[in-house]
Amino acid sequence: MTDTTALIRTEALGLIARKRLIAFGLPALILAYLAYVFVAFDLPGLAERARLDNARALVADSYSYKTHVTRDNRSGAVSIAIEGERKGTYPPDRPPAWVTRDGDRTTIDLGRGHVVQFTPDGLRYDVPGFGPIIATPSTARGVITNLGDDLPDWINRSKNRLAISTPAGRVSVTRNRTEVFRYFKGWELFFFTLDSPYHGHSLRQVAFGPRIDPARPNLVGAWADFWGNAMWHHADVAWAIFETILMAFLGTMGAALVALPLGFVAARNFTPVAGIRFGIRRVFDFLRGVDALIWTIVLARAFGPGPLTGALAILITDTGTFGKMFSEALENVDARQIEGVQSTGAPLVSRYRFGVIPQITPVLLSQTLYYLESNTRSATIIGAITGGGIGLLLTQAMITQKDWEEVSYYIILIIAMVMLMDWLSGLLRRRLITGAAR
Amino acid sequence: MAPPNGADMRRHYMDLTRRRRLYSGLALMVFVLLMSSGFVVADDRNAGGFWDGLHNIFDFPYQVVAEAGTKLDLLPAHLVHFCPALLETVNIAAVSTLVGGLAGLVLSLMSTRGLARFPRLIPLFRRAMDVMRAMPEIVIALVLIFVMGGGPVPAMIAIALHTAGALGKLFSEVNENADMKPLEGLESVGAGWMQRMMLGVMPQVAPNYLSYALLRFEINIRASAILGFVGAGGIGYELKNAMSWGQGKFDEAAAIFLLLFGAIVLFDQLSGRVRTRLTRGRVAR
């Protein structure tokens, strides 16, 4: 009796000691690994490499835009353009309401009491609580100002340049040009560009008001101008999203179609020859192991960039994944159902059709649909590499490094697209599988 | 009303079967139509056509193998040379699985009914996980590369974010099946929320968590290789360099293919083994 108690005691003590070791050892191990990674990834050096001004531009651009009012100091010509782009230039005779032109004087109201005036020989900026700033650019002597030597930190002055940034906007004066930036919330010209007659009209006016463009009905014209918006390219973006979903759909469904017969070959209860089984399983492992990245590269060499390449890369990788899963599902089917069908004298095809397929349909459908959602994400990534769909648009918008509002727009669209596919695949799974064996 | 006789029943049954067949046939037709028209559209939008490219499909692998074959003596050196890059890729995957897994753990506890620290915030945490899951890694990685410069850290953060969302959902499904009795016991002796979670929930769910995390680790190795391709360092970056160099560096590309393939298969098999043991062990207990 005492013997067994002692035995249990030593055993328990051993277990507790082991537990203690794990309880302290595991966190210590994780910490040690993280410390190693901290050094290996050069996290201390990250602070220097990080470009916070990039981050600021990105964040500011994603919720606001700026309108440039530019005066060419040689010719005296003034142009007003959203984001300084040609597509967003206001016609000279119709400036926005906050800019008034009177001969060679242009008055720009930046709001909050800030007023900038282009005078024939320079610029006058009335900053509330600071007083007027007068700057005169001259080809010979740089930029001359009325400012003293003691400057606040929002004014930056050198011989040839004056830069002022206030909460209301930004002003920059050089010898060649004077520029004023006014910031606005939102995404510029998201619905209509400036050349569209519908710009600046509310939804109510477009839908129910009198005809704006005499040549065509309001709704038709508005839709055409919105869909063909030269800055946001709504039609192209919609097409890119469709292309991405198409890649995912073709890849997933194609893989399921190819993998199903191969799954039979790889399943123990359908293929008695061990050699064939072994071979086909290694093929599955190979297809999965090579990975979508390498398949994409190899296929892009043969077919060129585009959605077909992406779809085939998904198809090949997932054939391996599905083949493995389907063959496992097939090995778990109940042989009695097949025997039952066989006992009625059914031929081989009917035996599979009525004995096997109904048993594996739920697994098959749920896996395929689950992968459809996950492949929408993969298709975005593959599109970024091989050039197709919304992934390509995203990388292109990023490379220009200025259209961050478009980047945010694409990111939102991608998230919405994946969530939509998630919802759809969940819905289909529930619809198709309830009533089946679960 | 007359009781239904055999003939009626038979007719009714045949009607049902016919209608069912019609629906299945229609669904099949729609599916085939979608597939074929989708294929045609994709083929149309592709730079090179499917049928033109089909016989070229082995050209590139053949070139790579041929070039690697002539420089076979260099291959071991290449393999050694690219090992650090591979290690970086695996490290990115491991750290992001670790960090994402820990974040997912917290998120899952916060979003499971009955366990949540702040039950009112459950929908908030769920939506947060949905958004994190929906974001493809490449999106976050590209933005972070722009801000932080190239390197492994943007990739790690990007993958960790996605992992947190994905694992958080799986973990919370595990949590829902956890037995509440140990929690009640702990609560009755005055255990706080942390103690209840650590001592009441964790021992029940740890094997499942670990199994899911390992599966995620496999996926993350692939993801980190892909992110390297867009500038996040590791083996993907080396692959991109070798590929853009083109002919003359295909022996390096071959070495990288081999390393990547080997690593993926190795971790696939390893985690498969461990996962089977984890689930078996749980059944036996």
Side-chain angles (χ1 to χ4, degrees):
Chain A
M1 188 69 195
T2 38
D3 272 1
T4 45
T5 325
L7 201 70
I8 291 172
R9 188 183 138 78
T10 39
E11 207 171 281
L13 281 178
L15 275 177
I16 289 171
R18 213 181 120 214
K19 261 243 147 91
R20 202 177 284 158
L21 190 72
I22 291 177
F24 287 102
L26 202 65
L29 210 68
I30 291 177
L31 271 181
Y33 179 68
L34 287 181
Y36 154 71
V37 164
F38 188 82
V39 178
F41 284 6
D42 190 24
L43 275 172
L46 195 68
E48 318 166 7
R49 270 178 287 139
R51 304 260 319 266
L52 284 181
D53 49 330
N54 279 354
R56 220 171 292 133
L58 197 160
V59 172
D61 233 27
S62 60
Y63 71 87
S64 67
Y65 68 94
K66 58 185 188 298
T67 304
H68 303 214
V69 184
T70 314
R71 177 173 184 269
D72 188 327
N73 288 338
R74 286 159 201 251
S75 64
V78 174
S79 66
I80 307 163
I82 288 173
E83 288 287 348
E85 288 192 43
R86 204 169 45 80
K87 288 171 286 193
T89 308
Y90 283 89
D93 53 324
R94 275 191 293 144
W98 47 276
V99 179
T100 40
R101 307 192 60 181
D102 177 24
D104 47 8
R105 273 173 195 274
T106 306
T107 310
I108 303 150
D109 183 7
L110 292 181
R112 304 186 214 181
H114 293 251
V115 177
V116 181
Q117 204 169 43
F118 290 162
T119 53
D121 47 63
L123 165 133
R124 180 194 161 96
Y125 184 1
D126 289 300
V127 184
F130 184 79
I133 300 171
I134 296 167
T136 317
S138 107
T139 350
R141 288 174 300 160
V143 179
I144 305 156
T145 63
N146 66 334
L147 296 164
D149 287 332
D150 189 23
L151 291 177
D153 58 357
W154 45 272
I155 300 181
N156 188 331
R157 185 183 56 177
S158 66
K159 184 170 173 294
N160 290 323
R161 185 167 185 272
L162 172 74
I164 307 166
S165 11
T166 64
R170 220 145 53 75
V171 172
S172 127
V173 185
T174 62
R175 277 190 296 187
N176 293 336
R177 61 164 68 189
T178 308
E179 267 188 308
V180 178
F181 307 99
R182 182 174 175 180
Y183 288 86
F184 292 93
K185 294 258 178 308
W187 289 342
E188 74 278 8
L189 312 177
F190 184 74
F191 294 103
F192 304 112
T193 43
L194 288 172
D195 51 9
S196 160
Y198 304 97
H199 178 75
H201 290 274
S202 72
L203 182 66
R204 263 174 60 99
Q205 282 171 313
V206 171
F208 305 112
R211 199 174 263 211
I212 298 165
D213 182 359
R216 44 193 185 169
N218 271 354
L219 282 177
V220 175
W223 177 254
D225 281 7
F226 166 71
W227 203 234
N229 185 325
M231 248 174 155
W232 289 87
H233 308 286
H234 293 294
D236 295 347
V237 172
W239 178 258
I241 291 212
F242 168 75
E243 227 172 49
T244 304
I245 295 178
L246 181 69
M247 272 195 252
F249 174 76
L250 281 182
T252 316
M253 296 304 163
L257 287 181
V258 176
L260 187 60
L262 291 179
F264 277 98
V265 182
R268 198 180 306 122
N269 41 353
F270 292 97
T271 306
V273 186
I276 300 177
R277 243 166 35 215
F278 181 83
I280 204 96
R281 283 193 182 186
R282 291 296 82 77
V283 170
F284 290 156
D285 284 347
F286 177 74
L287 293 180
R288 256 167 355 113
V290 171
D291 194 39
L293 171 66
I294 300 176
W295 286 124
T296 308
I297 295 171
V298 170
L299 292 171
R301 288 271 165 157
F303 300 119
L308 185 73
T309 309
L312 287 177
I314 294 176
L315 190 152
I316 293 179
T317 320
D318 278 2
T319 299
T321 318
F322 283 154
K324 186 166 182 251
M325 280 188 308
F326 290 174
S327 68
E328 277 162 11
L330 281 168
E331 282 180 358
N332 290 329
V333 296
D334 192 349
R336 279 171 300 184
Q337 282 195 33
I338 310 170
E339 282 163 23
V341 178
Q342 194 175 5
S343 71
T344 62
L348 191 71
V349 176
S350 303
R351 246 183 282 159
Y352 282 3
R353 167 69 186 79
F354 296 103
V356 183
I357 297 290
Q359 290 194 54
I360 59 162
T361 312
V363 183
L364 209 135
L365 274 179
S366 81
Q367 291 294 350
T368 311
L369 287 171
Y370 169 73
Y371 268 82
L372 182 64
E373 182 259 329
S374 132
N375 278 339
T376 316
R377 233 175 299 116
S378 309
T380 313
I381 296 175
I382 289 176
I385 298 172
T386 184
I390 190 87
L392 178 70
L393 287 189
L394 183 75
T395 39
Q396 278 177 347
M398 286 205 158
I399 287 167
T400 62
Q401 300 213 339
K402 63 186 182 57
D403 297 326
W404 291 107
E405 66 282 352
E406 273 173 35
V407 173
S408 345
Y409 175 50
Y410 296 150
I411 291 178
I412 291 171
L413 282 180
I414 290 171
I415 293 174
M417 174 184 76
V418 177
M419 285 172 104
L420 179 83
M421 291 301 279
D422 190 16
W423 170 81
L424 192 72
S425 101
L427 185 84
L428 281 176
R429 258 181 292 174
R430 275 192 301 278
R431 274 283 166 81
L432 292 172
I433 292 162
T434 44
R438 295 199 169 175
Chain B
M1 207 168 108
N5 57 22
D8 270 353
M9 221 136 87
R10 188 184 146 81
R11 188 150 36 83
H12 187 60
Y13 176 75
M14 289 314 273
D15 264 1
L16 273 180
T17 318
R18 215 169 297 134
R19 197 176 312 153
R20 218 189 122 138
R21 241 180 233 161
L22 182 74
Y23 284 155
S24 324
L26 273 180
L28 195 70
M29 247 169 66
V30 168
F31 179 74
V32 169
L33 207 72
L34 273 177
M35 282 295 283
S36 48
S37 59
F39 175 80
V40 170
V41 169
D43 191 33
D44 214 39
R45 297 281 298 182
N46 218 55
F50 180 71
W51 304 112
D52 302 331
L54 198 57
H55 53 90
N56 297 334
I57 198 162
F58 291 109
D59 285 4
F60 173 63
Y62 175 76
Q63 274 178 359
V64 170
V65 171
E67 192 170 327
T70 56
K71 299 181 188 167
L72 208 56
D73 50 325
L74 290 176
L75 198 61
H78 284 325
L79 287 180
V80 174
H81 175 73
F82 289 117
C83 258
L86 180 69
L87 185 70
E88 184 164 87
T89 295
V90 174
N91 267 337
I92 293 172
V95 179
S96 51
T97 313
L98 203 64
V99 174
L102 289 175
L105 189 153
V106 175
L107 279 173
S108 79
L109 290 177
M110 289 295 191
S111 60
T112 311
R113 228 166 277 128
L115 300 180
R117 183 85 179 78
F118 315 104
R120 280 163 171 275
L121 297 183
I122 287 178
L124 181 77
F125 284 111
R126 291 218 168 147
R127 284 297 87 73
M129 287 198 303
D130 285 348
V131 171
M132 283 160 113
R133 225 156 16 97
M135 244 186 292
E137 294 101 342
I138 206 161
V139 171
I140 314 166
L142 284 173
V143 171
L144 288 178
I145 286 172
F146 175 66
V147 173
M148 297 180 172
V153 180
M156 188 205 86
I157 297 174
I159 301 177
L161 268 176
H162 181 76
T163 303
L167 282 183
K169 182 174 185 236
L170 293 171
F171 286 178
S172 78
E173 274 164 19
V174 177
N175 291 345
E176 266 160 21
N177 295 325
D179 188 2
M180 289 293 162
K181 286 193 192 104
L183 287 180
E184 286 160 20
L186 281 167
E187 196 164 14
S188 71
V189 295
W193 185 77
M194 275 296 276
Q195 287 166 320
R196 266 181 289 151
M197 294 302 125
M198 284 297 292
L199 303 169
V201 181
M202 281 309 127
Q204 296 186 52
V205 297
N208 272 333
Y209 273 25
L210 209 57
S211 155
Y212 279 134
L214 279 173
L215 192 66
R216 200 69 224 174
F217 177 53
E218 274 175 49
I219 299 171
N220 283 351
I221 290 181
R222 295 159 188 261
S224 98
I226 289 189
L227 289 188
F229 208 78
V230 296
I235 195 117
Y237 184 66
E238 301 288 348
L239 180 61
K240 188 185 178 149
N241 283 348
M243 291 295 303
S244 51
W245 188 273
Q247 209 133 23
K249 278 218 176 171
F250 280 156
D251 51 327
E252 288 186 8
I256 295 170
F257 282 148
L258 276 179
L259 275 178
L260 190 55
F261 178 68
I264 288 174
V265 170
L266 174 75
F267 283 106
D268 222 70
Q269 297 289 333
L270 265 181
S271 96
R273 292 272 157 76
V274 177
R275 271 186 294 132
T276 340
R277 253 185 55 194
L278 279 172
T279 38
R280 286 250 175 80
R282 209 182 65 241
V283 172
R285 204 184 306 152

